[in-house]
Amino acid sequence: MCGYLAQAQLLVAHLSDYLLPEFFQMHNPRCHFLILFIQLISIISFYHYVVRIRGEDNNTSAVKVDVGIILDLETDVGKVMHISILLALEDYHANASRGAIRIVPHIKDSKKDDVEATSAAIYLLKDVQVQAIFGPQMSTQTDFVIDLGNRVKVPIISPATSPLLTVKENPFFIRAALPSSSQTKAIAALVKNFDWREVVVIYEDSPYGFGIVPHLTDALLEISTLVSYRSVISPSANDDQILKELYNMNTKQTRVFVVHLRPYLASRLFLKAKEAGMMSSGYAWIITDVLTSLLDLVDHSVIESSMQGVLGIKTYIPRSNPLNNYTKRWRKRFRQEYPDMDQIELNVFGLWAYDSITSLAEAVDKVGTTAIPKLKKPDTRENLTDLDALGTSAVGSLLIDSMRNTVLKQGLSGDFRIIDGELQPIPYQIVNIIGKGEKNIGFWTKRDGISCKLKMNGKTAVKCNNKQLGAIFWPGESTIVPRGWEMPTSGKKLRVGVPLKGGLEQLIKVERDSKTQAVTATGFCADVFKEVILSLPYALPYEFIPFPIQDPLTLPDYDDLVHKITSQDYDAVVGDVTILAGRSEYVDFTLPFIESGISVVVPVRDDDRRDAWIFLKPLKSELWITTGAFFVFIGFVVWVLEHRVNKEFRGPKSKQVGMIFWFSFSTLVFAHRERVTSNLTRFVLIVWVFVVLVLTSSYTASLTSMLTLQQLQPTITDLNDLIKNGEYVGYQEGSFVKDVFIKRMKFDSSKFRSYITLEDYDDALSRGSKNGGVGAIVDELPYLRLFLNKYCRKYIMVGQTYKAAGFGFAFPKGSPLVPDVSRAVLKVMEGEFMNNIIQKWFGNETDCPQKDETAITSDSLTLDSFKGLFLIAGVSAGFALLLFFLNFLNQNREIFATDDSIWQKLTAIAKVFDEEKDNSNSMSEKTSESNGSNAPKLLAASEASPEILPDLPLQSPEIRISDGLGASPAAEGFSTTEPGTPVHETN
């Protein structure tokens, strides 16, 4: 203050030397007073001018708030933020409403050194006693300063981007920049957009570099993309070391590189990549946010020569009039502060610094306009170190509470939002480096993913794919999207185990060259595998390793082959390996590339048309027996119902027994001549005739089919017959089908015989079980189809087909190759290749007309098909019989009223049943002796007693039965007459 007054007095003295001689010549006392007044006014004006330009104020109504600024002023980014901070404070103080608070910045240079940054922080906290610190900008410097802020309770607002600095663990830390981990989802979405399945990550050997790696790896794994290689570049690496590492990466198959380096190291990398030929067609390069945002700091000659076609991810900053005006002011101020430097451009870190200081100023306003106390010093008076001498801020907690959740909706960087101390993600912009600059090709947001156009009003962005991202300029002046991989010049090959066996070579055949010892695999399974590998979005070198199945010493099977994966002898297994639940417990299978199932093949028997007993084969034996039993049963029911009232059913016992069989069996061809008189009998016969009609029609159709159609009939139609007959069953050696039939069908394990080739199958089936062969072959459908293609007229598939999952490729548990290979399998199966390869190895299925009959059952009709008919006939006959006996017992109930014994009563009832009904006989005689003139009398009698003329046309208008006494035009079966037509009989 005294210095300012001395300067003012000196200035006034100089003015007095110039003005006083003139005034003294006037010899006027008023002039002396005027001179003194001018001196006083000059001193006061000069004092206020000095205070304004120094940023201080002696006005007791203004509160001064000290804020520390720690930047690397030797770096371009530090200079950019420095100018932005100064402009932010000027804009804050220029607001007339802010006169009550004045923020005083104390800027310290960390000089790219962690110790210098720490020393500056201690100085600001201990000596200046600042209420908040902005910076440092480097992650390693910020780490220790954050600890100091937690100790002193002073907010540390840092633009450091390392994800290793966590806000949750540091209550006084505010991150004023997006962490590098926030862009990993955008990078993963870009990789997925081009279907790249492997990438190489190149990062700096520093906390800035390796902090992003875990987050980027996780983001890529979520889209099933692998980080095939991690390249760590030291900031101190020379050009030869960088070139050597690039050559090493070029020997691998991956051609997609994600670069997370700072501008200086990145420019050296791309220069050497150009020299190594890695900026040519087929390569894809993606640079991360910091490098893309600071691209103007990279030498333009490097961009034009070595970075053409590179894709970049950068924070999206919406253009606005305030931003344009601010950019002009920033450039002008930069030239004033750093006149000796080349002009550099404002970047996102400068905008974040501006918005951060603005947010800090607003937080200071919220705390209040009262005098802000200094830091509270420790009470002890002992000699203290610099750290121990640090006090605690009385307002730090208030400031941090205000800043941890703040929003600047009209910030220069856009929507500047700090939630829980963390700057919230904003949209990312995807750019393509072309010429000296960059071209925008799309955007990425957390909600919408990749989009062509960004709408900031809350509406959904416009979706797009790689074809809609624009004309992307790829390295090597190519417009074709790189596939992301090439055949590597070196590297480990996938060890693929294949079964080595002597037969069924159409599915898998393994050969070894006697000179080169090279192993080749052919056949259906091998060809599918090779096509699947070619369909992968990356190269997958492999080599076949044979596994002998027919080893007579160890007797291995397919389970042993699959177990070679768990023992790490093989990386995969390819062949006719069936997907089973037991195997899937220790390996992972791809989707099946061919359907499968388990069935049975048996020999075809001779033509049955030459069999003398073929007429019996349309019906199964149980149906023949049931039909015969019902014929006897229906004949018995008719005899019971007609015995008392119809003399055709009376006579000697032998005649009556013969009538029972004759009458029922004659209905088979409708040759019966006997009349029936009972309505119950007619009801039974109507149902039975319908049953006979259905049976005869079905029998005729089945017999016709057997005699007219040429069919391949199996020797065995039911698998249970194999067990009953004790037949031997053949199967493929090493197959699992034996265990399936033993568990499901309870086959005797001693009845199985193993074979290797299709010729072995044919020989065994031809000889049969009794001659050292087998009665049937059980195997999976692909093998059986091959067998039937060759021997289609000798054998046939019968019985039920047991479902199986099919053939698949096996990989270790959790292998990342499984989903990729499964997708490739689907792609191959949907294409024309699959039809061609099936035709190649399995042949044309129409060559043999009988081989499409994969499941043959018996042509004989079974009882199950007619159970309903027999049930209806049986219930009808039983019901009629029940009604007859109830009526008969009711008519003869006086017999049961006597005192005779039960045996006597039953005997009496039997005698009555055996007796002929008199009224029926007398009426028959009266009818035969009467002439036409007696018709009115008979009609009158019938009205009085309808039971005496049961055979008159009025009683049965639709059916006329011959009486058997004279010639009749309708002498056989049932004959019909028109209703109301009288019956004329000849005497």
Side-chain angles (χ1 to χ4, degrees):
M1 181 69 68
C2 295
Y4 296 160
L5 292 176
Q7 293 179 11
Q9 291 175 353
L10 180 61
L11 177 62
V12 173
H14 286 294
L15 293 174
S16 300
D17 292 340
Y18 176 75
L19 297 174
L20 282 178
E22 299 294 332
F23 282 103
F24 281 124
Q25 293 177 1
M26 299 177 64
H27 302 284
N28 191 340
R30 293 184 178 180
C31 292
H32 289 285
F33 176 77
L34 181 60
I35 291 172
L36 292 176
F37 180 75
I38 292 174
Q39 288 179 339
L40 179 61
I41 295 299
S42 300
I43 292 173
I44 293 174
S45 300
F46 183 79
Y47 169 74
H48 281 284
Y49 169 76
V50 172
V51 168
R52 185 175 62 83
I53 65 175
R54 295 285 184 173
E56 301 177 7
D57 196 351
N58 198 30
N59 188 354
T60 56
S61 63
V63 178
K64 185 180 70 171
V65 179
D66 296 309
V67 174
I69 309 294
I70 303 176
L71 298 173
D72 287 332
L73 295 178
E74 297 180 4
T75 64
D76 293 338
V77 176
K79 293 182 176 68
V80 170
M81 289 193 290
H82 176 218
I83 301 301
S84 294
I85 292 172
L86 293 180
L87 292 177
L89 291 175
E90 285 185 8
D91 293 344
Y92 172 76
H93 293 145
N95 193 333
S97 61
R98 313 287 190 180
I101 295 178
R102 180 160 295 278
I103 297 177
V104 181
H106 300 272
I107 301 175
K108 304 295 290 183
D109 185 6
S110 63
K111 301 177 182 179
K112 297 184 181 180
D113 187 74
D114 296 350
V115 177
E116 285 288 344
T118 304
S119 177
I122 294 175
Y123 168 77
L124 292 172
L125 293 172
K126 178 176 176 290
D127 298 333
V128 183
Q129 298 187 16
V130 295
Q131 302 300 330
I133 293 178
F134 180 87
Q137 67 193 63
M138 303 297 293
S139 300
T140 53
Q141 300 172 5
T142 305
D143 193 11
F144 186 73
V145 175
I146 290 175
D147 294 335
L148 292 177
N150 293 334
R151 181 170 182 171
V152 186
K153 296 183 179 180
V154 170
I156 306 299
I157 308 163
S158 173
T161 60
S162 174
L164 300 177
L165 303 175
T166 59
V167 174
K168 293 182 179 179
E169 297 178 359
N170 300 285
F172 284 85
F173 173 46
I174 301 293
R175 193 193 300 276
L178 291 178
S180 57
S181 58
S182 64
Q183 63 184 313
T184 55
K185 298 286 187 181
I187 296 173
L190 187 59
V191 171
K192 183 180 180 180
N193 193 70
F194 297 106
D195 293 327
W196 294 326
R197 305 316 303 272
E198 289 187 0
V199 300
V200 172
V201 179
I202 305 173
Y203 59 94
E204 185 177 304
D205 188 12
S206 67
Y208 163 80
F210 51 70
I212 193 178
V213 174
H215 303 275
L216 181 58
T217 303
D218 292 342
L220 292 172
L221 284 177
E222 290 179 4
I223 61 170
S224 301
T225 298
L226 298 178
V227 177
S228 61
Y229 182 71
R230 300 178 182 180
S231 176
V232 185
I233 307 292
S234 172
S236 60
N238 56 40
D239 291 347
D240 291 337
Q241 291 172 329
I242 295 176
L243 187 60
K244 180 180 179 181
E245 178 63 17
L246 288 171
Y247 282 138
N248 177 42
M249 289 187 286
N250 205 28
T251 61
K252 305 181 185 304
Q253 69 176 15
T254 308
R255 292 295 180 265
V256 181
F257 304 95
V258 178
V259 180
H260 185 61
L261 302 174
R262 280 178 280 203
Y264 173 70
L265 189 56
S267 61
R268 296 171 56 203
L269 174 77
F270 280 105
L271 281 173
K272 293 303 173 183
K274 179 69 173 180
E275 181 180 337
M278 299 175 66
M279 296 303 299
S280 58
S281 178
Y283 290 84
W285 295 83
I286 302 174
I287 57 178
T288 55
D289 180 20
V290 172
L291 179 56
T292 310
S293 299
L294 303 179
L295 199 60
D296 63 299
L297 301 181
V298 179
D299 191 283
H300 289 174
S301 63
V302 175
I303 295 177
E304 291 183 87
S305 65
S306 306
M307 296 186 67
Q308 296 300 293
V310 173
L311 298 181
I313 301 290
K314 63 183 293 186
T315 305
Y316 173 68
I317 304 299
R319 306 306 300 180
S320 63
N321 290 330
L323 177 58
N324 294 335
N325 296 331
Y326 174 77
T327 303
K328 296 177 182 179
R329 291 176 53 209
W330 185 92
R331 291 173 179 171
K332 181 178 179 181
R333 187 62 178 268
F334 186 86
R335 287 192 296 268
Q336 294 174 355
E337 293 289 338
Y338 303 101
D340 298 332
M341 278 189 62
D342 294 334
Q343 180 68 46
I344 60 177
E345 295 298 325
L346 175 65
N347 54 50
V348 68
F349 288 96
L351 299 178
W352 281 336
Y354 182 97
D355 291 340
S356 299
I357 295 301
T358 303
S359 299
L360 174 61
E362 291 186 354
V364 171
D365 282 343
K366 292 180 182 178
V367 170
T369 59
T370 59
I372 296 179
K374 297 292 183 180
L375 271 64
K376 183 180 180 181
K377 296 291 183 179
D379 295 334
T380 179
R381 297 181 179 178
E382 299 178 1
N383 295 328
L384 302 175
T385 64
D386 287 341
L387 292 178
D388 295 331
L390 296 177
T392 56
S393 174
V395 297
S397 299
L398 299 177
L399 285 176
I400 197 69
D401 290 341
S402 180
M403 282 205 67
R404 285 183 68 86
N405 294 279
T406 183
V407 176
L408 289 179
K409 292 186 177 180
Q410 295 182 352
L412 290 180
S413 61
D415 189 6
F416 186 83
R417 294 182 299 117
I418 295 179
I419 306 297
D420 295 330
E422 195 86 54
L423 181 62
Q424 296 305 295
I426 55 181
Y428 279 98
Q429 187 177 1
I430 305 172
V431 298
N432 184 205
I433 298 178
I434 301 175
K436 296 181 179 180
E438 60 191 34
K439 172 189 174 184
N440 178 58
I441 59 174
F443 301 90
W444 179 90
T445 60
K446 185 177 181 180
R447 183 186 66 179
D448 300 316
I450 292 180
S451 56
C452 298
K453 297 180 181 179
L454 189 64
K455 296 184 178 180
M456 303 300 293
N457 56 358
K459 296 182 180 179
T460 303
V462 180
K463 296 288 185 179
C464 60
N465 53 34
N466 57 341
K467 295 182 180 179
Q468 297 174 329
L469 282 176
I472 300 178
F473 187 81
W474 298 99
E477 301 181 359
S478 173
T479 57
I480 301 175
V481 178
R483 61 179 179 176
W485 60 271
E486 295 291 342
M487 292 300 295
T489 57
S490 65
K492 181 182 177 182
K493 294 183 178 181
L494 193 73
R495 299 168 300 171
V496 180
V498 287
L500 176 62
K501 53 186 183 179
L504 297 171
E505 296 177 346
Q506 293 90 338
L507 288 169
I508 188 72
K509 179 182 180 181
V510 182
E511 296 177 321
R512 185 187 295 272
D513 190 279
S514 58
K515 296 181 179 180
T516 62
Q517 297 300 312
V519 178
T520 59
T522 56
F524 174 77
C525 300
D527 285 356
V528 172
F529 177 75
K530 294 173 184 176
E531 184 67 18
V532 165
I533 295 301
L534 292 177
S535 300
L536 291 174
Y538 48 83
L540 187 62
Y542 59 89
E543 59 180 349
F544 291 119
I545 302 176
F547 179 82
I549 294 295
Q550 287 85 25
D551 192 332
L553 298 178
T554 59
L555 296 177
D557 57 14
Y558 280 79
D559 289 336
D560 297 325
L561 171 61
V562 175
H563 270 294
K564 286 291 184 179
I565 295 178
T566 59
S567 63
Q568 298 183 355
D569 293 327
Y570 300 153
D571 300 318
V573 167
V574 171
D576 47 346
V577 180
T578 304
I579 302 173
L580 299 177
R583 294 172 182 172
S584 64
E585 294 179 357
Y586 49 89
V587 296
D588 282 345
F589 284 97
T590 64
L591 292 177
F593 55 87
I594 187 173
E595 295 181 355
S596 184
I598 305 173
S599 191
V600 180
V601 166
V602 297
V604 175
R605 63 189 179 191
D606 295 333
D607 193 350
D608 289 331
R609 292 179 298 175
R610 292 176 292 180
D611 189 356
W613 302 98
I614 190 174
F615 67 91
L616 295 176
K617 294 187 177 180
L619 305 182
K620 281 284 189 178
S621 57
E622 62 269 18
L623 183 56
W624 278 116
I625 295 173
T626 304
T627 302
F630 260 83
F631 271 113
V632 175
F633 173 67
I634 295 299
F636 173 74
V637 171
V638 171
W639 175 81
V640 171
L641 297 178
E642 296 290 326
H643 177 67
R644 299 188 66 227
V645 297
N646 192 339
K647 60 183 178 181
E648 295 288 343
F649 292 85
R650 302 189 62 82
K653 293 182 178 180
S654 59
K655 177 184 177 182
Q656 295 185 45
V657 172
M659 181 60 63
I660 291 175
F661 287 94
W662 157 252
F663 185 84
S664 61
F665 279 98
S666 64
T667 59
L668 185 63
V669 291
F670 308 103
H672 49 282
R673 299 171 56 88
E674 295 74 19
R675 67 174 184 172
V676 292
T677 60
S678 173
N679 286 331
L680 291 177
T681 306
R682 296 187 181 108
F683 170 71
V684 172
L685 286 179
I686 288 173
V687 176
W688 177 243
V689 167
F690 175 74
V691 173
V692 171
L693 177 64
V694 173
L695 282 174
T696 53
S697 299
S698 302
Y699 175 86
T700 303
S702 180
L703 182 60
T704 302
S705 175
M706 291 182 177
L707 293 175
T708 58
L709 296 180
Q710 283 188 336
Q711 294 183 344
L712 296 179
Q713 294 297 327
T715 55
I716 297 174
T717 59
D718 193 345
L719 297 183
N720 291 321
D721 294 341
L722 293 173
I723 302 176
K724 294 177 182 178
N725 301 335
E727 297 278 357
Y728 283 91
V729 178
Y731 70 99
Q732 184 184 169
E733 186 172 336
S735 177
F736 69 97
V737 296
K738 173 183 176 182
D739 297 331
V740 173
F741 274 80
I742 291 176
K743 293 178 181 179
R744 293 187 182 182
M745 302 296 296
K746 307 302 180 183
F747 270 82
D748 185 359
S749 59
S750 62
K751 294 293 184 179
F752 282 89
R753 292 171 176 172
S754 63
Y755 301 97
I756 299 175
T757 66
L758 299 180
E759 292 73 17
D760 293 341
Y761 281 179
D762 176 48
D763 179 67
L765 288 172
S766 299
R767 287 187 283 117
S769 297
K770 297 180 179 180
N771 299 316
V774 294
I777 293 291
V778 294
D779 211 336
E780 295 181 81
L781 291 180
Y783 307 110
L784 296 181
R785 287 171 182 166
L786 287 172
F787 180 65
L788 293 178
N789 280 348
K790 190 172 183 179
Y791 303 100
C792 63
R793 298 185 182 276
K794 295 178 61 177
Y795 308 102
I796 199 166
M797 204 179 302
V798 298
Q800 178 183 357
T801 298
Y802 297 93
K803 288 294 183 180
F807 294 167
F809 305 128
F811 290 89
K813 269 287 188 181
S815 173
L817 292 174
V818 173
D820 291 345
V821 176
S822 294
R823 278 187 285 269
V825 167
L826 291 178
K827 187 182 299 184
V828 170
M829 292 183 66
E830 293 172 357
E832 187 64 26
F833 172 83
M834 203 65 181
N835 295 330
N836 296 335
I837 198 174
I838 290 176
Q839 176 72 22
K840 174 183 176 181
W841 293 107
F842 290 93
N844 192 345
E845 296 185 359
T846 61
D847 291 344
C848 185
Q850 287 85 7
K851 73 178 177 184
D852 57 342
E853 300 181 22
T854 56
I856 299 297
T857 57
S858 174
D859 288 330
S860 300
L861 300 175
T862 62
L863 178 62
D864 294 336
S865 303
F866 300 94
K867 282 183 178 179
L869 284 175
F870 286 119
L871 179 63
I872 294 173
V875 170
S876 301
F879 179 71
L881 200 61
L882 177 63
L883 288 180
F884 171 79
F885 278 116
L886 291 176
N887 184 47
F888 174 75
L889 294 176
N890 181 56
Q891 291 177 354
N892 298 277
R893 58 183 177 274
E894 65 276 1
I895 297 177
F896 293 96
T898 62
D899 296 332
D900 297 338
S901 64
I902 295 177
W903 176 252
Q904 291 176 338
K905 293 178 181 179
L906 292 177
T907 304
I909 287 294
K911 289 181 179 180
V912 173
F913 174 77
D914 190 53
E915 293 175 356
E916 185 178 5
K917 238 184 180 184
D918 295 337
N919 56 353
S920 299
N921 296 334
S922 61
M923 184 56 60
S924 300
E925 293 175 359
K926 190 179 296 183
T927 301
S928 62
E929 293 176 358
S930 64
N931 52 29
S933 60
N934 294 331
K937 296 180 180 180
L938 293 175
L939 292 173
S942 66
E943 292 176 358
S945 180
E947 294 184 359
I948 62 175
L949 293 174
D951 57 339
L952 287 179
L954 292 178
Q955 296 293 335
S956 183
E958 297 182 359
I959 301 176
R960 179 181 181 274
I961 308 298
S962 172
D963 59 0
L965 298 176
S968 174
E972 294 182 5
F974 301 101
S975 62
T976 60
T977 60
E978 296 294 332
T981 303
V983 179
H984 302 281
E985 297 183 358
T986 57
N987 294 327

